Amino acid sequence: MKLVGPWISGFTRRTAITMKLLGIPFEHLNLNAYTDKEEVRRYSPMGKVPALVLDSGEVLIDSAGIIDVLHEMVGPEKALLPQSGAPRLRALQLVGVGLAIYPKLSALFDESLRPENYRLQSAIEGFAEQAIVGYKILEEEAGDGWYVNDTLSQADIMAVVCYEAAAQFVLPDVVTPVNFPRLAALAERAIKIDAFASTVPHL
Ligand SMILES: N[C@@H](CCC(=O)N[C@@H](CS)C(=O)NCC(=O)O)C(=O)O
């Protein structure tokens, strides 16, 4: 299988972390949706990443659907999501918060690329405010271990992906270990694991 997209795409990174944790081998095609448009479109006609090219040649886009298929490949026992009930609901709630944060980071990053007098300050403030509400939820819900049943799940993966992208690139003055100590500790626990350490994002 081939995974198309760069680690700076949080959606691609969470997919890659999932594949590595599940022991599903893949070839990484480090193609950026914005700077490698033509090449990305060879695999993903709409230019979206991540795209997973299956061994059959079929292509799947959207990290949620891709991860669903990956979980199905390994079966519910190994899936990085509790199988049912309250733990599953909690994991999906937290993943939902992360999935809502990340596009705000992308929007903030896009705004930062505009010449200063073309930036819309109200939009920048709005995106940041929404993202920070999300980080506060993830911070409040974090403990000393992993989020759900102290077993690493999709909730931890998405929270770490969101924390690192903001802390390193998009909101480095706000999303700090001082303001979000539990998220910072979660990220520290995660980075000791190869799936996280080997997918560190670079601009
Ligand atoms: N919901 C999608 C979002 C994927 C997404 O927005 N990817 C961005 C890069 S992080 C992208 O492909 N941007 C290019 C574009 O939208 O044209 C997912 O979870 O995979």
Side-chain angles (χ1 to χ4, degrees):
M1 282 188 283
K2 294 182 174 74
L3 178 63
V4 185
W7 303 154
I8 191 70
S9 155
F11 303 106
T12 305
R13 188 177 180 214
R14 83 181 188 113
T15 306
I17 291 170
T18 300
M19 295 183 86
K20 287 176 178 237
L21 288 172
L22 295 178
I24 300 174
F26 64 96
E27 181 188 342
H28 178 216
L29 301 185
N30 184 17
L31 299 174
N32 188 300
Y34 303 98
T35 54
D36 306 307
K37 272 189 187 174
E38 290 307 312
E39 277 181 278
V40 167
R41 278 164 199 252
R42 280 178 49 209
Y43 302 98
S44 173
M46 290 180 70
K48 294 298 287 188
V49 298
L52 185 71
V53 185
L54 300 172
D55 291 339
S56 62
E58 288 168 296
V59 177
L60 197 56
I61 59 168
D62 200 285
S63 60
I66 295 172
I67 288 171
D68 191 72
V69 165
L70 297 171
H71 283 168
E72 194 184 0
M73 283 177 190
V74 297
E77 297 287 331
K78 286 194 186 159
L80 298 167
L81 205 56
Q83 286 185 44
S84 62
R88 186 175 178 89
L89 179 68
R90 175 169 158 76
L92 290 174
Q93 283 175 321
L94 294 165
V95 172
V97 173
L99 289 176
I101 289 175
Y102 211 88
K104 302 298 164 188
L105 300 184
S106 302
L108 283 167
F109 184 71
D110 290 349
E111 282 294 326
S112 76
L113 298 179
R114 292 182 203 276
E116 212 156 310
N117 51 339
Y118 284 92
R119 290 182 199 158
L120 194 55
Q121 196 54 33
S122 58
I124 293 173
E125 285 165 15
F127 297 146
E129 193 264 337
Q130 283 178 290
I132 289 162
V133 171
Y135 285 109
K136 285 184 179 163
I137 295 170
L138 295 180
E139 174 72 12
E140 276 167 25
E141 294 292 329
D144 295 335
W146 307 115
Y147 275 111
V148 186
N149 292 343
D150 209 12
T151 302
L152 200 164
S153 75
Q154 292 297 336
D156 305 288
I157 297 172
M158 197 57 202
V160 170
V161 165
C162 284
Y163 176 81
E164 288 182 341
Q168 290 170 26
F169 304 111
V170 187
L171 292 166
D173 300 332
V174 185
V175 179
T176 63
V178 172
N179 292 339
F180 296 95
R182 292 190 209 156
L183 275 178
L186 182 76
E188 271 190 33
R189 280 193 289 285
I191 206 71
K192 294 188 181 117
I193 300 169
D194 178 70
F196 290 84
S198 61
T199 58
V200 168
H202 300 283
L203 273 185

